[in-house]
Amino acid sequence: VSAEPQIRRVYETTVYAHDVDATTVFYADILGLRPFEHYPGFAAVFKLEDGGVFLIFEPKKASAPGRTLPAHGAEGAGHVAFSVTPGSLDAFVAELAERGIEIEVDETWETGGRSVYVRDPAGNSVEFVDGEAWPDEPRV
Amino acid sequence: VSAEPQIRRVYETTVYAHDVDATTVFYADILGLRPFEHYPGFAAVFKLEDGGVFLIFEPKKASAPGRTLPAHGAEGAGHVAFSVTPGSLDAFVAELAERGIEIEVDETWETGGRSVYVRDPAGNSVEFVDGEAWPDEPRV
């Protein structure tokens, strides 16, 4: 819009799950995210170290007409990537494996960064990134 | 997983759009996000000030089998919130209005933060937050 961008960062990131509560257990107990608020069957809210907020919504309820806030709600696999503490990905992956979480892809990028992908209970593609997955300069 | 959380922050946030290119124009030219990579008809990548990455994918192509990376792709309205430069929301909203972007909801939170919600061309609910939308302590 103006010369100076006014958007600073992503504040809230959303994924959808029909079973919000089981999916909340995954993010809280398996991944170790800090649970902030939980509205059973409807939504869960996590706060991250950098002040960012991660949201899980039940898509049918979140997209129902008559809510005060704008309706939203998507069906199908979404995607989110989280940054992990540098150097911690091997230990993290080992802990996930111990808990029966299957690694779908383990990818090392041209940047030297590395990503490991799993699925949450709702089928969303969840990526853990150690370092940078994207180069400094665009390729296309 | 372990005593110390290994997930630091959200690195990539994704929304979906059948018309990736029109939606990319919205985020780049109307919202002023920095375009990073663009794969016409398939995906667009934006980098934000804090190193976060915002992604738009065409859900049918991104969920097609046979890709190297894990498939994902959702149908229906997603939701993302962006933080704006403190104090800039009024000017930002005025510029959006000049460009014909309708404000769906304008909400002031108990925290003193304020959110304005619009729709991107794909119908995703896009929120701009000045300050904090979430309280310091959970309510539930």
Side-chain angles (χ1 to χ4, degrees), chain A residues 4-132:
Chain A
E4 201 168 330
Q6 286 164 316
I7 289 178
R8 304 286 286 270
R9 53 168 292 187
V10 172
Y11 180 62
E12 293 174 359
T13 296
T14 307
V15 298
Y16 298 95
H18 289 289
D19 189 339
V20 166
D21 304 334
T23 303
T24 297
V25 167
F26 172 82
Y27 285 97
D29 295 355
I30 308 283
L31 302 192
L33 292 190
R34 180 161 80 95
F36 186 70
E37 296 188 356
H38 184 193
Y39 301 84
F42 176 61
V45 182
F46 297 85
K47 280 197 179 183
L48 291 123
E49 269 188 18
D50 70 340
V53 174
F54 177 67
L55 300 167
I56 307 169
F57 279 97
E58 200 292 311
K60 289 192 172 22
K61 290 179 183 165
S63 62
R67 293 183 61 213
T68 311
L69 295 175
H72 57 89
E75 302 280 345
H79 172 62
V80 60
F82 296 101
S83 289
V84 302
T85 301
S88 76
L89 194 55
D90 278 328
F92 191 62
V93 165
E95 293 187 63
L96 293 176
E98 273 174 30
R99 287 161 179 260
I101 307 296
E102 187 187 350
I103 307 304
E104 188 175 1
V105 167
D106 186 333
E107 180 83 21
T108 299
W109 306 103
E110 61 198 80
T111 55
R114 179 177 158 218
S115 291
V116 167
Y117 295 76
V118 303
R119 296 280 168 180
D120 74 13
N124 296 299
S125 171
V126 182
E127 177 182 353
F128 308 109
V129 185
D130 189 345
E132 291 292 327

